[in-house]
Amino acid sequence: MEKLRATRIEKGEALRAAGANPYPYRFEVTHSVAAVREQEKALAEAGAHVRVAGRVMALRGHGKTAFGHIEDSSGRIQFYVKRDDVGDDVFRRFELVDLGDIAGIVGTVFRTRTDELTIKVESLELLSKSIRPLPEKWHGLTDKEIRYRQRYVDLAVNPEVREVFVKRSRLVETVRRFLLARGFLEVETPVLQPLYGGASARPFTTHHNALDMTLYLRIANELYLKRLLVGGFERVFEFSKDFRNEGIDRSHNPEFTMMECYAAYLDYMDYMDMMEAMVAEVARELTPNGQATFDGRTMDFTKPWKRLRFFDALREKTGVEFFGVAEKELAAHAKRLGVHVEKGAPASVIIDEVFSALVEPGLQEPTFIYDYPKELSPLAKDHRSVPGLVERFEGYIGGFEVCNAFSELNDPLEQRRRFEQQMENRARGDEEAQVLDEDFLRALEYGMPPAAGLGVGIDRLTMVFTDNHSIRDVILFPHMRPEDGR
RNA sequence: GCGCUGCUAGCUCAAUGGUAGAGCAUCUGACUCUUAAUCAGGUGGUUGAAGGUUCGAGUCCUUCGCGGCGCACCA
């Protein structure tokens, strides 16, 4: 390794000695690789000069001539250097170029005998000397640990990885455009919060020195967006990096991206339609026909999602009724179904466990589950006709949750009772019970319009549209333990 | 946290407990339409770390570190 580096550093020095800066400031690019391909005919006929810059990804020397490939973000193209064309000086400098260097080439386009579009180099400039060798050209970089830790290398040599993140960006852009077109206002709310709320999770804790106070990284931005509804913004949304101090696995990263949006005067059924339309638009943008293949299963997002009531889904899957059943009987159900539940767990927890274990994994096709038990949803409004339920839905794709929405609870007195119940749960040891937020209650007391809200897991939605099965593959720099000792 | 599994050259991978190897990359030489270029020759290793067993350890055992997969916790 040290030898490989030293050789490359020496080549950089040799270039410097020949009067060329191995790290110059600027290069005038006239064409991307894609543009050269698109405009080939006109460029060839005119004998026009193109100036292309990128990373040298292949080199094949033949003595007084050489072929290579240069790659920019739009693609890869062959170039051809011939000593008789470029002259001794340029050719000698070219010989100091290594695989992985960033270079700028100037030349004309032509087709080789094998009919490959090629740039005939007239001059060439090293734009950045690479002093670390890239992974091998054929197998590339496959070691997941290195791919995640050194994503820059992964991206540099694996174009399909770049494509994943291009898609992610287009997905975000599509969602943003969708919301803006419907009159939503994009806002920014605090990441550092004196109280954390809006979801059930343990937070990351930090400290503000000047104010000498504890602050939390947000686990959600829900309560702030609702305050904005009180303030008179009728439709708001935010792409929010949220932080949850919990385990890491295929579908959980400690920091992740959620899009939350709230609209006054709508209810959860309106939002179900909207979610469907939003994902359909994403599918149109990212796929040729509105269909995505995830884990070998083709999903057609031009069609409506399946819709199932929470307790209907449970009953269908287990053959047992869970609604309106006493705790003791629920525990017996769970045991019989082979779902492990802590002794003395409350009804809501038992139901949630059974649902997670038996129903969720089967929700492969895009499905909305709706009308949740009240105890699981302290921020959702009571169901308008069925006591014990709230107006809430979650969207599932590929067996995991991709969104969560409800008709928002806007009765300040009821919200206070729900918070108090949560605080009781907390006192009994539920570390994830939500914290009572007096300022949020004060806001509700001023009057929040009836509204519905939706949170969409952007990482997970990206997984669906890129057919990746680990959240690490859709996060550029996923969380890793430090690589000490290596 | 538990179970399984992996960690060998820059990368991708070999190596019954018995001399650490190959391909690519790299270096030297040849080569003016190649494309996983070709041909000839060379360099490159604290086998993740530390202990142990053994005449002898990449290989077996223990502990630790960092991944992957599954489970649990968790949404």
Side-chain angles (χ1 to χ4, degrees):
Chain A
M1 181 64 196
E2 278 315 305
K3 224 166 181 177
L4 297 172
R5 267 183 95 235
T7 309
R8 285 170 171 244
I9 291 171
E10 273 167 32
K11 286 184 184 174
E13 289 310 314
L15 263 164
R16 227 188 269 279
N21 182 356
Y23 301 100
Y25 295 86
R26 196 170 187 283
F27 182 78
E28 185 79 26
V29 175
T30 60
H31 292 75
S32 67
V33 167
V36 172
R37 290 197 185 285
E38 279 159 25
Q39 301 162 30
E40 175 190 352
K41 210 169 165 207
L43 291 170
E45 275 170 13
H49 284 78
V50 294
R51 302 174 61 89
V52 173
R55 195 182 288 276
V56 176
M57 297 302 282
L59 279 174
R60 296 178 293 279
H62 293 80
K64 309 293 172 287
T65 177
F67 286 89
H69 279 90
I70 191 166
E71 182 174 310
D72 70 10
S73 64
S74 74
R76 188 182 277 219
I77 194 166
Q78 180 167 260
F79 62 85
Y80 176 53
V81 187
K82 191 166 145 187
R83 197 178 64 175
D84 291 354
D85 290 345
V86 299
D88 285 352
D89 284 353
V90 172
F91 199 77
R92 256 198 301 279
R93 265 187 280 148
F94 165 73
E95 286 179 319
L96 295 172
V97 169
D98 284 305
L99 237 39
D101 287 354
I102 311 290
I105 58 178
V106 184
T108 54
V109 301
F110 76 108
R111 289 242 165 205
T112 61
R113 272 210 300 254
T114 53
D115 204 33
E116 177 163 352
L117 178 60
T118 301
I119 297 175
K120 178 180 279 187
V121 173
E122 291 184 6
S123 73
L124 174 142
E125 192 176 337
L126 182 67
L127 301 180
S128 181
K129 185 73 200 164
S130 160
I131 62 169
R132 236 173 227 275
L134 287 175
E136 187 222 330
K137 62 187 171 188
W138 193 238
H139 299 92
L141 180 67
T142 60
D143 185 306
K144 285 208 169 170
E145 183 167 358
I146 306 180
R147 288 189 45 220
Y148 296 147
R149 285 192 197 281
Q150 304 183 39
R151 183 69 91 180
Y152 36 87
V153 181
D154 187 27
L155 290 165
V157 302
N158 294 324
E160 70 280 6
V161 176
R162 286 205 297 267
E163 186 55 32
V164 167
F165 292 99
V166 168
K167 276 192 172 173
R168 178 175 174 132
S169 174
R170 284 168 58 202
L171 182 149
V172 167
E173 184 195 335
T174 304
V175 170
R176 174 175 282 121
R177 211 171 46 228
F178 179 94
L179 292 166
L180 291 173
R182 281 160 186 76
F184 284 81
L185 182 74
E186 184 165 13
V187 297
E188 293 177 271
T189 64
V191 173
L192 289 174
Q193 304 181 348
L195 284 175
Y196 57 96
S200 301
R202 293 187 308 203
F204 286 93
T205 305
T206 185
H207 186 259
H208 190 288
N209 290 336
L211 300 180
D212 189 22
M213 69 182 289
T214 297
L215 286 171
Y216 304 96
L217 295 176
R218 66 182 167 198
I219 60 172
N221 54 355
E222 168 153 357
L223 302 185
Y224 282 94
L225 292 177
K226 286 184 186 172
R227 283 173 171 96
L228 297 178
L229 294 177
V230 171
F233 291 117
E234 291 174 351
R235 294 187 172 203
V236 292
F237 75 98
E238 179 176 17
F239 284 94
S240 166
K241 197 58 119 36
D242 293 343
F243 306 84
R244 298 187 183 177
N245 207 337
E246 282 156 8
I248 300 176
D249 65 22
R250 264 194 6 252
S251 54
H252 297 87
N253 195 63
E255 57 179 290
F256 63 102
T257 303
M258 181 99 97
M259 191 291 295
E260 290 199 41
C261 62
Y262 291 79
Y265 313 122
L266 300 183
D267 67 14
Y268 75 137
M269 283 295 162
D270 295 317
Y271 252 70
M272 222 184 269
D273 296 339
M274 198 175 86
M275 176 70 187
E276 221 166 59
M278 185 192 293
V279 177
E281 193 154 315
V282 168
R284 266 196 302 278
E285 185 67 29
L286 296 187
T287 71
N289 50 9
Q291 298 183 352
T293 299
F294 181 73
D295 205 10
R297 185 186 301 264
T298 299
M299 299 172 186
D300 189 346
F301 289 103
T302 64
K303 291 185 182 153
W305 297 25
K306 274 206 278 194
R307 298 187 180 196
L308 266 175
R309 287 190 181 81
F310 183 88
F311 283 103
D312 290 347
L314 261 178
R315 193 183 323 106
E316 255 177 48
K317 194 77 197 177
T318 65
V320 180
E321 182 58 59
F322 279 81
F323 184 56
V325 173
E327 259 171 47
K328 231 175 175 173
E329 205 174 328
L330 288 173
H333 282 345
K335 198 169 177 190
R336 204 166 42 243
L337 293 163
V339 177
H340 174 76
V341 178
E342 298 260 328
K343 257 215 173 91
S348 59
V349 171
I350 301 173
I351 292 172
D352 190 34
E353 290 283 334
V354 174
F355 187 86
S356 300
L358 300 179
V359 181
E360 255 188 42
L363 300 175
Q364 297 290 327
E365 301 291 329
T367 305
F368 290 120
I369 299 291
Y370 65 105
D371 290 355
Y372 276 70
K374 185 171 174 174
E375 297 77 18
L376 296 174
S377 320
L379 300 168
K381 211 169 195 170
D382 283 334
H383 196 279
R384 65 195 70 186
S385 53
V386 186
L389 298 182
V390 289
E391 297 198 348
R392 172 184 184 182
F393 73 82
E394 293 193 347
Y396 286 86
I397 303 175
F400 52 80
E401 178 194 338
V402 295
C403 73
N404 180 18
F406 24 91
S407 298
E408 302 295 340
L409 177 55
N410 63 341
D411 174 343
L413 301 180
E414 170 67 7
Q415 182 66 76
R416 180 176 293 277
R417 283 192 290 276
R418 301 271 193 96
F419 271 141
E420 281 165 354
Q421 179 63 51
Q422 288 291 309
M423 293 307 274
E424 267 180 48
N425 295 351
R426 171 167 290 268
R428 285 209 309 265
D430 181 357
E431 278 187 79
E432 303 198 340
Q434 301 201 15
V435 180
L436 188 143
D437 186 334
E438 277 295 348
D439 179 69
F440 175 64
L441 288 171
R442 178 167 64 188
L444 286 191
E445 290 186 4
Y446 280 102
M448 184 180 97
L454 166 74
V456 178
I458 295 298
D459 312 276
R460 292 179 177 182
L461 202 57
T462 304
M463 287 165 66
V464 170
F465 282 102
T466 58
D467 200 15
N468 275 302
H469 306 110
S470 169
I471 198 166
R472 291 190 184 94
D473 290 321
V474 299
I475 291 177
L476 280 167
F477 301 100
H479 183 76
M480 301 286 275
R481 283 191 164 90
E483 54 181 324
D484 285 347
R486 283 182 69 95

